[in-house]
Amino acid sequence: MLNKWEGIVLKTQPYGETNKIVTFMTREAGKVTAMARGAKKPSSRLASVTQPFTYGSFLIQQGRGMGTVQQGEPLESMRHIREDIVATAYASYAVELVDRLIESEKAEPYAFEVLVQALRAIEEGYDPEAIALFVEWKMLPFTGVQPILHECASCSAVDGEFAFSFTQGGFLCHRCFHQDPYIIRLTPTQLKLIRMFYSVPIEKIGKLTLKKETKKFIKKISTTIYEEQTGMRLKSKSFIEQLERAPQLFGANFESKKEATEETENPQADED
Ligand SMILES: [Zn+2]
């Protein structure tokens, strides 16, 4: 069966002298692995279109066993992502997260959309660290966690002060703080941001710029959820940590093109 699928190259693995095994996240069929014959040869018409992060349209022949990539046409080459080490590092994290959380050959259009939006935003020069954080929050349901962020997870109140509770899996209002001694108190801005990270499409919040401390704070929460729920340790995350510790070793420039110093006061006002 010959399928035409829209997909993103998540990773490749050399196979033999000239071939590559390519893992795609496709819109139509979820995660798919296929052999790209000859794709390791620079002269191959499959060489460039099977590079990681490429978003393209692919003809994949499937039969028994692993499918083969017959043709590929790039829709977006994601060149900036490949050329900028900081962009590469965070895009790798987004891609690895999707790869680890999504099962093979089961359509997950939401996850596909999250990944396309994220890579496109990084490609366009938005703060890659913030974008990777969006992906983390948006992929949470695939870890089995559906955080309750629209009301108090215990009493359903929507007003009052709020905190994040890992044991309750979401927000707790001040009336229920006593239920968890380890709550993380949130300011109204932090509360709003966490909700946005989880529920607003990336394309609508591309203009949002975040302070370093804000990202750190929000990341702390999602990292804890991931570690406790999945125990996953991603290779790309170790690389980001090295990069942050000694950027000069990698010639990295952390000033993203569109990063501002001030946080957007009312990010949703940017929706137009
Ligand atoms: Zn409550």
Side-chain angles (χ1 to χ4, degrees):
M1 199 168 50
L2 191 61
N3 298 293
K4 188 175 181 182
W5 284 329
E6 209 181 297
I8 293 161
V9 178
L10 298 180
K11 64 182 177 194
T12 68
Q13 218 182 308
Y15 187 81
E17 286 285 292
T18 58
N19 311 317
K20 278 191 214 172
I21 295 172
V22 185
T23 305
F24 300 95
M25 178 66 191
T26 69
R27 186 189 291 281
E28 299 85 354
K31 202 167 79 173
V32 171
T33 300
M35 177 79 70
R37 298 198 182 283
K40 266 174 76 185
K41 286 186 276 185
S43 60
S44 162
R45 61 196 165 76
L46 291 178
S48 74
V49 81
T50 54
Q51 292 190 73
F53 314 119
T54 301
Y55 169 34
S57 169
F58 299 89
L59 276 180
I60 297 174
Q61 178 79 50
Q62 280 197 312
R64 273 186 298 153
M66 191 184 291
T68 52
V69 185
Q70 302 289 337
Q71 253 181 60
E73 207 177 302
L75 297 170
E76 287 167 46
S77 74
M78 307 292 175
R79 210 172 134 184
H80 164 72
I81 291 182
R82 272 195 297 272
E83 289 172 354
D84 179 286
I85 192 160
V86 178
T88 306
Y90 286 104
S92 301
Y93 178 68
V95 156
E96 193 181 355
L97 202 58
V98 169
D99 182 28
R100 293 281 291 270
L101 292 175
I102 296 298
E103 290 170 39
S104 287
E105 302 189 27
K106 178 170 177 264
E108 294 289 1
Y110 174 78
F112 176 81
E113 206 48 55
V114 166
L115 187 60
V116 172
Q117 287 174 4
L119 294 182
R120 192 176 280 148
I122 296 175
E123 177 68 15
E124 286 171 6
Y126 290 106
D127 176 7
E129 184 183 12
I131 301 297
L133 204 48
F134 286 125
V135 177
E136 233 173 41
W137 278 89
K138 291 190 187 310
M139 290 301 290
L140 266 183
F142 295 94
T143 68
V145 179
Q146 308 249 17
I148 297 162
L149 306 177
H150 62 288
E151 60 182 25
C152 172
S154 175
C155 75
S156 301
V158 291
D159 64 313
E161 280 176 56
F162 283 88
F164 194 88
S165 160
F166 292 105
T167 57
Q168 300 287 325
F171 293 157
L172 272 187
C173 77
H174 65 274
R175 288 163 288 252
C176 302
F177 282 175
H178 61 276
Q179 296 186 10
D180 178 357
Y182 303 106
I183 49 166
I184 299 174
R185 296 287 291 267
L186 304 167
T187 66
T189 309
Q190 288 165 338
L191 181 89
K192 198 163 76 179
L193 280 168
I194 289 174
R195 280 189 180 139
M196 284 186 51
F197 269 92
Y198 188 64
S199 57
V200 179
I202 292 174
E203 54 191 3
K204 292 213 171 141
I205 36 180
K207 286 181 192 164
L208 176 70
T209 48
L210 301 170
K211 288 181 198 151
K212 194 79 191 165
E213 315 86 82
T214 307
K215 288 184 280 190
K216 214 168 145 185
F217 176 79
I218 294 176
K219 195 188 275 185
K220 204 176 92 188
I221 297 177
S222 51
T223 303
T224 308
I225 301 176
Y226 271 91
E227 280 171 3
E228 290 189 355
Q229 290 300 316
T230 67
M232 281 190 332
R233 183 72 199 159
L234 303 186
K235 270 187 297 178
S236 49
K237 191 145 195 172
S238 317
F239 180 64
I240 290 171
E241 284 160 8
Q242 284 175 31
L243 199 57
E244 281 175 344
R245 237 177 286 128
Q248 69 285 358
L249 283 183
F250 302 92
N253 176 15
F254 272 95
E255 297 300 306
S256 86
K257 275 187 273 172
K258 299 193 181 177
E259 188 168 26
T261 45
E262 286 306 310
E263 214 151 77
T264 312
E265 269 295 289
N266 178 9
Q268 287 183 319
D270 283 338
E271 276 183 62
D272 55 15

